[in-house]
Amino acid sequence: DAGVIQSPRHEVTEMGQEVTLRCKPISGHNSLFWYRQTMMRGLELLIYFNNNVPIDDSGMPEDRFSAKMPNASFSTLKIQPSEPRDSAVYFCASRAGSTDTQYFGPGTRLTVL
Amino acid sequence: DAKTTQPPSMDCAEGRAANLPCNHSTISGNEYVYWYRQIHSQGPQYIIHGLKNNETNEMASLIITEDRKSSTLILPHATLRDTAVYYCIAQRYGQNFVFGPGTRLSVLP
């Protein structure tokens, strides 16, 4: 069975450009999480969805970041406009309703020049 | 959620057991202990979790002290592929994970 799928795996863009990261959770999982990892701050939760509804977005850094989950099998994290300090690895994770165990995707390494 | 404390780094000889400690002295009765690991450049990987009893699966064993204030993750026969950062997390069911800095385990040939 496929795990969490993220695309692209690597993204290099210039400051000011829009960036869209994509995630496909494990089939049947009803919670989805977006994390960001940097050397300075470690692994941080940005936002999570339950049954496609955003539950907690308190970790979203600022208005430049937005996340959507239009259906149970797809989510996006968008940064507009991007800045060099957004450079990080962004992970998506999903979870089944009956457990707290989260399963992580391989991540998207974002570099903003 | 309870805060956990882990040593920043540990070494282990290949083939030997790796014992990774975690202190969670303020853990409450309804908080689980979760262990994840992150191999370089990959997403965190679930290892094991428990509440009170010791747990074992195909990857590792989790030993939780009777007072639940600390736990140990045991990799019985460490291999070079077990080199990773190991995270210990204490959380209530339904709450989100808070990842600390973890323990960087180096398995040496």
Side-chain angles (χ1 to χ4, degrees), chain B residues 82-95:
Chain B
D82 292 321
T83 292
V85 177
Y86 287 77
Y87 299 100
C88 171
I89 304 164
Q91 66 145 72
R92 286 172 291 147
Y93 181 81
Q95 297 300 305

Side-chain angles (χ1 to χ4, degrees), chain A residues 6-109:
Chain A
Q6 292 187 245
S7 65
R9 295 293 309 278
H10 302 272
E11 177 80 29
V12 180
T13 190
E14 294 189 344
M15 183 173 62
Q17 297 297 306
E18 177 179 297
V19 175
T20 299
L21 311 181
R22 297 172 176 80
C23 175
K24 177 179 170 56
I26 294 172
S27 177
H29 284 191
N30 64 347
S31 294
L32 183 140
F33 304 79
W34 283 101
Y35 291 84
R36 178 174 67 176
Q37 187 172 35
T38 62
M39 288 293 293
M40 291 295 294
R41 300 175 66 90
L43 195 60
E44 304 174 283
L45 177 65
L46 298 178
I47 184 171
Y48 86 94
F49 295 83
N50 196 40
N51 293 321
N52 312 337
V53 176
I55 302 300
D56 183 0
D57 66 353
S58 59
M60 295 286 261
E62 49 198 271
D63 292 345
R64 297 185 298 106
F65 285 68
S66 62
K68 294 182 180 180
M69 193 165 185
N71 57 63
S73 60
F74 183 66
S75 177
T76 60
L77 178 67
K78 184 177 295 186
I79 308 173
Q80 166 64 14
S82 58
E83 297 182 2
R85 58 189 168 130
D86 301 329
S87 296
V89 182
Y90 291 81
F91 290 104
C92 175
S94 70
R95 180 182 76 187
S98 59
T99 175
D100 266 356
T101 303
Q102 295 181 25
Y103 296 89
F104 284 76
T108 296
R109 181 173 296 276

